[in-house]
């Protein structure tokens, strides 16, 4: 589609950031859209319209992403953090404060450069920053305060606080996605009372009574995940201690609430163990979950919590849903070896498998055709680089860096691109017309499928990661990652383990029979 926007990528190194034109690449190499600019950090607004860059000497510069020209700069002494609103209308900054009288959180309107609202905040945590939260379309703005949620007129902050929602003990808040019609509040355990997550209507329909509520004991933290359409909320409940002693990392459960009250309960998972990852599809009608002790299981559910598709088991802890809803990537990053499996959700079949070792970040492009993984510092100080894969898992571009801090797609609405099937056809036609690439790129596709790169000395791996690697080795030896071995034969280790388990079961059965006879 000629009217579709081009893909772009932000790449940040120690010397600063640059903007690349995204795939498909001319001559199999990315072209530079914006030459390197010195900075400490850089972040796009959620809609990709503007870019915030924090430079040395407490200078924050805002770029217009259509031209990548500077439109505003702010000199803010002692600034510790900054965030753009979803549509890039406002800039929010946090400064270190010495006295409560000093209002250290300031909201700036980017067009005019004026401060439109400010307040005091003692400290900044992941749960309390950004201090002022906006819905995706910036129609609703709110702030978490002591025992209440404060609402603002998102178009006119000079009115101050226009509404208050009283919730004793509230410690977390999450506005729903487009539309911003609801707000979820988290209240932790207190004095024997269970923790709870509650959903309220906001805006003109603000009510003091929740539309939906779910309570649970053994809860330390929660992750709140709204779907597109603001009809469903997934709640990952995490406890620091697992009373069954099955996991060193505590216990987690996945709960699901709907704004109409049709469903309030635990998502029925078929395997015990932690919730590794969960993600909604772009349509908001399905969600995918990676769960269970290794090898983990992957299941896709509809919005009524009914299983739609099983994606097998394996060493996985990450799920990435294609923005067009057609493809899924299931992967095992972090302490896991980096296995990736690509699935076609519409056709319900696996497209391919590959591996991206030591990946720190991963994400689909907005058009849904490409998948990017990156190994970045400070998480990993060696083997930093970027890899691009086609939707079937084939590697088509790889670039290594001495040190890479950040690599991310410029956000675009998936609706701006054509149908995914047509886009894939156009990409395939480009691949056919390409001449054979030179140098390192000429072997990238071949090495991805036939000759994997030589293994480098392995980095230090903690004990729990070694256990995960052992699980992966057993999975590969048995070849039951997706449907089992074709011949049905088992490896020697698996056969030996099976015999051990059978002997243990026989021993337990004999002991139970002996105890019954004695009584």
């Amino acid at each position: 589609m000629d009217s579709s926007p081009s893909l772009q990528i932000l790449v940040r190194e120690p010397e600063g950031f640059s903007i690349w034109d995204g795939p498909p690449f001319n001559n199999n190499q990315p072209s530079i859209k914006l030459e390197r600019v010195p900075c400490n950090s850089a972040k796009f607004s959620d809609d990709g319209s503007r870019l915030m860059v924090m430079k040395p000497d407490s200078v924050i510069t805002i770029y217009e992403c259509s031209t990548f020209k500077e439109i505003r700069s702010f000199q803010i002494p002692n600034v510790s953090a900054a965030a753009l609103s979803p549509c890039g209308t406002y800039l929010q900054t946090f400064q270190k404060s010495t006295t409560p009288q000093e209002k250290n959180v300031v909201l700036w309107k980017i067009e005019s450069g004026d401060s439109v609202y400010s307040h005091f905040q003692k400290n900044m945590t992941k749960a309390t920053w950004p201090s002022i939260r906006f819905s995706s379309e910036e129609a609703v703005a709110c702030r978490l305060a002591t025992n209440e949620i404060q609402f603002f007129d998102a178009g006119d902050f000079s009115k101050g606080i226009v509404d208050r929602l009283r919730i004793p003990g509230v410690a977390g808040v999450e506005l729903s996605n487009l539309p911003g019609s609801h707000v979820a509040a988290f209240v932790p355990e207190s004095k024997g009372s269970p923790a709870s997550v509650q959903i309220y209507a906001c805006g003109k329909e603000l009510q003091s009574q929740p539309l939906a509520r779910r309570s649970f004991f053994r809860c330390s933290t929660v992750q709140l995940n709204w779907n597109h359409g603001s009809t469903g909320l997934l709640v990952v409940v995490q406890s620091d201690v697992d009373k069954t002693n099955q996991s060193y990392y505590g216990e987690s459960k996945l709960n699901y609430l709907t704004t109409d009250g049709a469903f309030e309960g635990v998502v029925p998972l078929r395997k015990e163990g932690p919730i590794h990852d969960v993600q909604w599809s772009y349509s908001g009608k399905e969600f995918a979950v990676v769960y269970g002790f290794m090898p983990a299981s992957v299941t896709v559910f509809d919005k009524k919590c009914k299983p739609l598709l099983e994606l097998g088991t394996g060493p996985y802890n990450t799920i990435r849903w294609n923005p067009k809803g057609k493809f899924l990537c299931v992967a095992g990053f972090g302490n896991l070896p980096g296995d990736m499996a690509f699935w076609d959700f519409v056709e319900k079949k696996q497209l391919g498998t590959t591996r991206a070792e030591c990946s720190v970040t991963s994400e689909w492009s907005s058009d849904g055709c490409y998948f990017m993984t990156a190994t970045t510092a400070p998480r990993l100080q060696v083997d930093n680089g970027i890899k691009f894969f086609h939707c079937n898992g084939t590697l088509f571009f790889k670039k290594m860096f001495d040190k890479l801090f950040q690599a991310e797609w410029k956000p675009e609405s998936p609706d701006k691109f054509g149908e995914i099937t047509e886009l894939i056809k156009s990409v395939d036609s480009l691949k056919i017309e390409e001449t054979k690439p030179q140098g390192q790129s000429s072997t990238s596709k071949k090495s991805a499928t036939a000759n994997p790169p030589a293994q480098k000395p392995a980095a230090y791996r903690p004990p729990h990661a070694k256990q995960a690697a052992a699980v992966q080795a057993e999975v590969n030896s048995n070849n039951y990652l997706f449907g089992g071995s074709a011949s049905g034969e088992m490896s020697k280790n698996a056969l030996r383990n099976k015999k051990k388990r059978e002997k243990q079961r026989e021993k337990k059965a004999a002991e139970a029979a002996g105890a019954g006879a004695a009584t």
Side-chain angles (χ1 to χ4, degrees):
M1 285 183 64
D2 295 335
S3 59
S4 297
S6 60
L7 298 174
Q8 293 170 343
I9 305 154
L10 183 148
V11 177
R12 183 166 64 91
E13 302 172 72
E15 298 81 12
F17 82 95
S18 56
I19 302 294
W20 294 1
D21 283 319
F25 300 136
N26 294 326
N27 299 320
N28 298 291
Q29 289 295 325
S31 58
I32 306 300
K33 178 79 172 178
L34 178 66
E35 292 292 344
R36 189 175 293 160
V37 177
C39 72
N40 296 329
S41 66
K43 184 67 177 175
F44 288 108
S45 61
D46 289 352
D47 67 348
S49 62
R50 286 176 175 169
L51 174 67
M52 177 194 72
V53 178
M54 296 185 72
K55 297 182 177 179
D57 302 324
S58 299
V59 174
I60 300 176
T61 301
I62 308 299
Y63 288 79
E64 185 67 48
C65 288
S66 58
T67 59
F68 284 103
K69 301 292 184 183
E70 293 186 19
I71 59 173
R72 186 73 60 186
S73 285
F74 298 86
Q75 178 79 44
I76 304 172
N78 300 319
V79 63
S80 300
L84 283 175
S85 61
C87 299
T89 307
Y90 299 100
L91 170 69
Q92 190 174 169
T93 59
F94 177 90
Q95 298 165 272
K96 294 178 182 178
S97 177
T98 55
T99 62
Q101 289 75 28
E102 182 182 353
K103 295 182 177 180
N104 60 332
V105 175
V106 183
L107 191 68
W108 310 84
K109 191 159 188 178
I110 293 173
E111 289 295 335
S112 63
D114 298 331
S115 168
V116 295
Y117 184 78
S118 61
H119 66 264
F120 171 75
Q121 183 170 315
K122 186 175 181 180
N123 50 36
M124 181 187 66
T125 64
K126 187 176 180 180
T128 59
W129 184 256
S131 181
I132 298 174
R133 307 290 182 97
F134 291 87
S135 59
S136 300
E137 77 283 21
E138 293 187 6
V140 179
C142 71
R143 171 184 173 239
L144 175 64
T146 304
N147 295 325
E148 67 179 15
I149 302 173
Q150 300 171 349
F151 290 86
F152 304 89
D153 184 336
D156 186 4
F157 277 87
S158 63
K159 296 179 181 178
I161 301 168
V162 295
D163 274 311
R164 298 174 190 266
L165 180 59
R166 181 77 177 172
I167 308 174
V170 61
V173 61
E174 189 72 28
L175 276 169
S176 62
N177 294 324
L178 193 69
S181 54
H182 297 82
V183 61
F186 167 61
V187 179
E189 295 181 60
S190 177
K191 299 178 181 179
S193 299
S196 66
V197 169
Q198 306 163 36
I199 296 177
Y200 295 85
C202 55
K204 294 181 180 179
E205 301 176 355
L206 186 65
Q207 300 173 352
S208 59
Q209 295 299 318
L211 301 176
R213 176 189 174 100
R214 178 72 178 167
S215 299
F216 20 72
F217 286 100
R218 300 202 307 275
C219 171
S220 304
T221 59
V222 296
Q223 297 174 27
L224 305 174
N225 300 278
W226 281 102
N227 69 338
H228 287 272
S230 305
T231 58
L233 176 71
L234 289 169
V235 183
V236 181
V237 179
Q238 180 72 39
S239 173
D240 292 337
V241 178
D242 181 5
K243 292 195 173 182
T244 63
N245 292 324
Q246 290 182 295
S247 173
Y248 174 80
Y249 297 100
E251 181 183 11
S252 57
K253 297 290 183 183
L254 181 62
N255 292 262
Y256 178 51
L257 295 84
T258 58
T259 52
D260 59 4
F263 191 99
E264 295 176 19
V266 177
V267 176
L269 304 177
R270 62 183 181 87
K271 186 176 183 179
E272 291 186 356
I275 308 298
H276 301 289
D277 197 11
V278 59
Q279 189 179 27
W280 285 99
S281 68
Y282 183 74
S283 68
K285 296 179 180 179
E286 309 91 10
F287 62 90
V289 191
V290 185
Y291 61 96
F293 297 112
M294 292 293 165
S297 296
V298 187
T299 306
V300 179
F301 295 87
D302 65 13
K303 59 182 180 180
K304 294 183 179 179
C305 277
K306 295 180 180 178
L308 294 177
L309 181 63
E310 296 288 345
L311 303 185
T313 60
Y316 302 134
N317 60 6
T318 303
I319 185 83
R320 294 288 182 265
W321 204 309
N322 179 288
K324 288 292 186 178
K326 181 174 174 62
F327 302 119
L328 281 161
C329 177
V330 187
F333 297 139
N335 292 329
L336 296 177
D339 293 77
M340 299 193 298
F342 291 82
W343 286 78
D344 186 324
F345 173 67
V346 177
E347 300 294 332
K348 294 181 171 48
K349 65 180 182 180
Q350 186 186 126
L351 301 175
T353 60
T354 185
R355 177 174 285 191
E357 298 90 344
C358 303
S359 296
V360 176
T361 62
S362 59
E363 196 53 71
W364 287 96
S365 60
S366 298
D367 67 353
C369 296
Y370 307 98
F371 191 76
M372 176 175 69
T373 65
T375 302
T376 58
R379 175 72 179 273
L380 290 172
Q381 300 289 348
V382 295
D383 296 335
N384 285 189
I386 303 174
K387 295 179 182 179
F388 292 95
F389 300 85
H390 289 297
C391 57
N392 62 359
T394 56
L395 176 69
F396 75 95
F397 180 80
K398 174 182 178 180
K399 183 175 177 63
M400 304 303 291
F401 295 81
D402 291 333
K403 184 164 288 189
L404 176 67
F405 287 130
Q406 183 180 0
E408 64 179 61
W409 299 100
K410 173 179 171 286
E412 293 284 358
S413 171
D415 298 331
K416 294 181 180 179
F417 299 89
E419 290 297 322
I420 186 68
T421 51
E422 297 300 322
L423 291 169
I424 295 299
K425 287 179 182 177
S426 64
V427 170
D428 289 341
S429 66
L430 285 171
K431 285 192 288 184
I432 293 171
E433 293 170 6
E434 283 177 358
T435 57
K436 185 176 180 180
Q438 301 295 321
Q440 176 182 341
S441 299
S442 64
T443 58
S444 62
K445 183 175 180 181
K446 188 183 295 182
S447 64
T449 55
N451 300 315
Q455 292 289 326
K456 294 190 177 182
Y460 168 74
R461 184 174 286 164
H464 58 273
K466 292 179 181 178
Q467 177 64 24
V471 171
Q472 164 66 359
E474 184 175 342
V475 169
N476 288 342
S477 66
N478 291 331
N479 194 25
Y480 66 82
L481 187 59
F482 292 98
S485 171
S487 62
E489 295 179 359
M490 302 179 71
S491 68
K492 293 180 179 179
N493 287 338
L495 196 58
R496 187 163 54 247
N497 290 335
K498 183 180 179 183
K499 290 180 179 179
K500 284 183 180 179
R501 288 193 294 268
E502 289 174 351
K503 287 181 180 179
Q504 289 175 352
R505 282 197 293 267
E506 290 173 0
K507 185 178 179 181
K508 288 182 180 179
E511 289 176 353
T519 55

